[in-house]
Amino acid sequence: MDPLKNYSEGYFFHCNETDFTLDYSGMVENKEKLLTSHSDLVNLALDTVQKIEKGEIVNKTEVTQESENRAVDHYNLRMEKELVEGKSLSISLKYNAKIVEEITPILKGELRAPNGQKYTDVIFNGIGGSSLGPYMLVISQYGIDYNTLSGLPMKIHFTSNTDPDSFSHLIKKLDLNTTILVSISKSGTTSETKGNLEAFTQILKDQGIEKIGPHMIAITTADSLLDKFAKKNQFLASYVMNVETGGRTSICSAVGMVPAAFAQINFEEFLKGQSVMDKMTRRTEVSENPAMIISLAIEELTHKEKHKNMIMLCYSDFLKEFPNYLQQLYMESIGKNYDIFGKTKHEGQTIFGGVGTMVQHAFMQQVQKGIKDCFVRFLNFRKRKSDFLVESSGSMGRQLLGFVKGTESALTKNNVPFFTTTFKMNNPFNVGMMVALEERIVTFIGAFRQINCYDQPGVQAGKLACKHFNALSKIVLNNLIEYFSNENNSFTGEAKKYFLQFAKTQEKQEFSEKEILGDSIFVDALLSDLDANIEIDKSYNELKKLITIERVMKDNKFIYTITKK
């Protein structure tokens, strides 16, 4: 491959209307071959998009236990035509306008908290796409100092991980009398989101705030458990998303609309940007379809050199969270072990990155001189909003551009493949285009490889195991309380011994060897947590009154001694 020669021969796509440019001179060996020799893949990909946009059931595989058997609608939510009833760009714009109309009185202080004061803070409570998308959107507009430099009428906060230390840090700096928690969960049963909501509800009540509704907003599907809880407790609002909208592609729904309304981001422009890119990437002519060019180039490289990591270098601090957003979009979508026909097929697309030039100092040495396990994608804006004089380069903006072009040149010399995508400027319209481009690439690659990009059985497996851990923990702890509330004074042993003694219920008295081995690991973790945190308020309040616990390592096993106080 000769990127310099390719550049001179026009290995580009450019859209005059939006000033978007894709430079693939560093990624493709033969432009003619790329554009004309993959008709079967192209037809397969475009057919998949047509099926999605017609509302056909595409979220399915022949592996029934992993199949969700439903349509996928994120493209329809910003499509000019209403191919599926009730779903189109105009309908989404109307719903967004409704949300803005209802949020604005909160921001202006026309709708006030129960104590008569203006609402001051809003917390967005979600996990996965329900967090990564909104957070990326806010950062893209205001940068990391969105609460200090944006001048927004309410301060914005995010909570996703069930980390009690960070949650405590957040709660301590807020006046909960004037705080709103926005919980985002399609099912209403997402463990992390539900747990944070339950904790927030209890904290409100502990502070004497019995009516939680004026401090809550929900984003969920109609009649979900969260929607019912919202109506029962008279939340400020419960905004609806569709069952067919997957979490990692939900930013074009109420999941993005509500945070954008609080952050005063022009979400209408974001949706229009997505719609424009969707239209661009429906084109049947490969040379006029940037998502198809990128997808085919990745596929060619994969067939030639096997799977390669994708490194995304974003040359704007405002795109700091974009690679994190893309990690879920790509890895949850393409990381599968079955094709749609139920045949074992291990696929994936590892992606990592960050802000150039910062992350270049983290891993560019290996990319340039170490193992050849990746390709690089550059993402930058052509037009900047400000600049500063720099003696060595003339201006700070030109210095940043110099790092883009200089790194491209270094990759060329070291035979590392790369793309460069350049958008006109950083605004909601172009960020919408950026997101839509990546969503389409994911759809195309999934179609090429005949996998279902819209389920996530691996994530679900972890959720189910967590649910089992929580249930087992309650059984063991309740049995410990009962044991030491009677005449028993001590118990000593490894986790397996504790499991066999304290995991029994009236319904289950015997365990298989597999259950004993697997669940003993869970019990070991529980006992270790009990040892470390028994004195922490609200962790183990009942047991704290009853027992002391000591953990020691003996013969490569932890031995726990519990003694009655």
Side-chain angles (χ1 to χ4, degrees):
M1 182 166 55
D2 187 346
L4 300 179
K5 183 173 178 288
N6 292 348
Y7 190 92
S8 68
E9 293 181 357
Y11 280 47
F12 298 101
F13 166 84
H14 181 74
C15 174
N16 288 318
E17 178 188 354
T18 62
D19 200 19
F20 164 73
T21 302
L22 165 65
D23 173 3
Y24 54 97
S25 61
M27 187 74 181
V28 175
E29 289 190 16
N30 187 311
K31 176 181 178 181
E32 188 67 22
K33 178 177 178 291
L34 180 86
L35 300 181
T36 61
S37 300
H38 301 289
S39 58
D40 289 347
L41 291 178
V42 172
N43 292 335
L44 194 60
L46 293 175
D47 181 62
T48 299
V49 170
Q50 283 190 347
K51 288 178 179 178
I52 292 172
E53 294 181 342
K54 287 179 180 178
E56 295 184 24
I57 295 176
V58 295
N59 184 354
K60 64 177 181 178
T61 69
E62 292 300 319
V63 184
T64 55
Q65 69 269 25
E66 294 192 356
S67 184
E68 297 183 4
N69 289 311
R70 59 177 177 236
V72 173
D73 72 356
H74 57 284
Y75 293 140
N76 299 95
L77 298 182
R78 66 269 186 141
M79 194 175 186
E80 291 180 348
K81 295 179 181 179
E82 189 179 342
L83 293 185
V84 176
E85 184 178 358
K87 299 176 182 182
S88 70
L89 175 62
S90 63
I91 292 171
S92 292
L93 292 176
K94 287 178 183 176
Y95 195 51
N96 179 64
K98 174 183 182 294
I99 289 172
V100 171
E101 183 180 4
E102 293 177 0
I103 298 298
T104 298
I106 297 175
L107 298 176
K108 289 184 175 180
E110 296 168 357
L111 177 59
R112 292 183 170 251
N115 66 357
Q117 295 181 350
K118 182 181 179 298
Y119 286 106
T120 57
D121 296 85
V122 58
I123 306 170
F124 293 102
N125 171 32
I127 197 74
S130 298
S131 176
L132 292 168
Y135 189 49
M136 181 272 294
L137 193 63
V138 171
I139 296 291
S140 73
Q141 179 77 11
Y142 300 112
I144 60 173
D145 294 317
Y146 53 86
N147 275 334
T148 55
L149 299 178
S150 63
L152 292 173
M154 291 178 66
K155 284 186 167 55
I156 294 173
H157 313 276
F158 293 88
T159 183
S160 54
N161 191 22
T162 54
D163 182 348
D165 291 338
S166 66
F167 197 74
S168 173
H169 179 74
L170 172 62
I171 294 300
K172 284 178 181 178
K173 68 181 181 180
L174 302 178
D175 180 356
L176 298 191
N177 288 288
T178 56
T179 296
I180 297 171
L181 182 77
V182 180
S183 294
I184 310 171
S185 171
K186 187 163 75 172
S187 66
T189 60
T190 308
S191 296
E192 298 92 338
T193 308
K194 187 171 182 284
N196 290 340
L197 171 60
E198 290 172 352
F200 188 77
T201 299
Q202 187 59 52
I203 294 168
L204 288 177
K205 292 181 177 180
D206 289 345
Q207 294 191 8
I209 303 172
E210 290 297 328
K211 291 185 177 181
I212 64 172
H215 300 277
M216 301 279 194
I217 290 174
I219 303 172
T220 187
T221 52
D223 296 322
S224 71
L225 290 177
L226 178 56
D227 188 41
K228 291 174 181 176
F229 184 75
K231 290 172 180 174
K232 178 182 177 181
N233 289 278
Q234 298 180 308
F235 279 22
L236 289 169
S238 183
Y239 294 111
V240 175
M241 62 183 296
N242 300 324
V243 173
E244 298 82 9
T245 308
R248 56 188 172 276
T249 55
S250 63
I251 193 172
C252 59
S253 71
V255 172
M257 293 174 185
V258 175
F262 275 101
Q264 298 186 321
I265 294 172
N266 190 337
F267 200 76
E268 180 176 330
E269 283 297 299
F270 177 86
L271 287 172
K272 289 179 178 178
Q274 288 199 299
S275 184
V276 166
M277 182 56 76
D278 286 348
K279 186 176 180 180
M280 201 183 300
T281 56
R282 280 190 205 103
R283 294 171 182 166
T284 57
E285 187 67 37
V286 175
S287 63
E288 295 300 312
N289 186 328
M292 191 67 75
I293 293 170
I294 294 173
S295 303
L296 288 172
I298 293 173
E299 199 67 5
E300 280 192 348
L301 182 66
T302 302
H303 279 283
K304 181 183 176 184
E305 301 183 25
K306 297 187 178 180
H307 291 92
K308 295 275 191 178
N309 299 322
M310 180 194 299
I311 297 177
M312 178 67 76
L313 297 179
C314 302
Y315 284 80
S316 167
D317 285 344
F318 291 84
L319 298 181
K320 176 179 179 290
E321 290 301 315
F322 195 55
N324 293 332
Y325 177 79
L326 294 184
Q327 275 189 330
Q328 185 194 22
L329 178 62
Y330 276 84
M331 296 175 74
E332 196 169 71
S333 298
I334 302 175
K336 301 295 159 63
N337 64 331
Y338 293 106
D339 64 17
I340 57 175
F341 307 110
K343 182 180 177 182
T344 299
K345 185 181 185 183
H346 293 280
E347 290 290 351
Q349 180 57 69
T350 303
I351 177 170
F352 57 96
V355 174
T357 62
M358 176 59 193
V359 294
Q360 289 176 226
H361 289 268
F363 47 68
M364 194 51 69
Q365 170 65 28
Q366 178 173 307
V367 171
Q368 299 279 15
K369 298 295 184 179
I371 55 176
K372 303 299 182 183
D373 64 346
C374 66
F375 63 94
V376 177
R377 293 184 59 191
F378 295 88
L379 175 57
N380 65 344
F381 297 114
R382 197 166 78 87
K383 186 177 179 62
R384 49 189 172 268
K385 299 176 183 179
S386 55
D387 212 341
F388 297 91
L389 293 175
V390 174
E391 184 177 350
S392 58
S393 60
S395 82
M396 187 180 288
R398 288 208 301 279
Q399 185 175 45
L400 185 64
L401 178 61
F403 276 110
V404 176
K405 306 314 291 183
T407 307
E408 286 178 350
S409 178
L411 292 174
T412 298
K413 292 176 182 177
N414 288 292
N415 298 313
V416 179
F418 66 90
F419 294 105
T420 301
T421 48
T422 304
F423 293 83
K424 183 177 181 179
M425 64 185 301
N426 182 13
N427 58 27
F429 182 89
N430 281 287
V431 174
M433 286 183 63
M434 284 166 41
V435 171
L437 174 64
E438 303 302 329
E439 289 175 346
R440 199 72 105 189
I441 294 168
V442 164
T443 295
F444 287 167
I445 292 176
F448 295 164
R449 302 179 188 180
Q450 296 278 271
I451 57 174
N452 178 11
C453 283
Y454 302 106
D455 61 359
Q456 51 282 328
V459 178
Q460 188 64 20
K463 291 180 179 179
L464 293 174
C466 175
K467 186 177 180 180
H468 175 65
F469 174 86
N470 290 338
L472 177 63
S473 298
K474 286 186 175 181
I475 293 169
V476 171
L477 294 174
N478 286 335
N479 285 338
L480 280 170
I481 291 170
E482 182 179 354
Y483 182 86
F484 285 101
S485 294
N486 295 322
E487 299 302 318
N488 303 294
N489 293 317
S490 66
F491 194 92
T492 300
E494 62 180 283
K496 181 179 177 181
K497 183 178 179 181
Y498 277 86
F499 172 76
L500 292 172
Q501 176 70 29
F502 297 107
K504 294 177 181 178
T505 63
Q506 286 186 337
E507 295 78 18
K508 191 169 180 64
Q509 293 287 314
E510 296 183 359
F511 305 95
S512 68
E513 185 63 26
K514 186 176 181 180
E515 286 176 314
I516 294 170
L517 291 173
D519 285 353
S520 291
I521 295 173
F522 283 178
V523 172
D524 203 1
L526 175 64
L527 293 171
S528 177
D529 191 72
L530 177 63
D531 172 65
N533 298 294
I534 191 169
E535 296 300 325
I536 302 298
D537 185 38
K538 296 183 176 64
S539 284
Y540 298 98
N541 284 359
E542 286 190 71
L543 277 171
K544 181 168 66 172
K545 302 171 187 175
L546 277 175
I547 66 161
T548 60
I549 180 171
E550 181 183 37
R551 184 184 77 156
V552 296
M553 175 67 75
K554 185 177 181 180
D555 297 328
N556 291 322
K557 292 180 180 179
F558 285 116
I559 304 298
Y560 299 91
T561 299
I562 298 180
T563 305
K564 187 174 183 178
K565 285 186 175 180

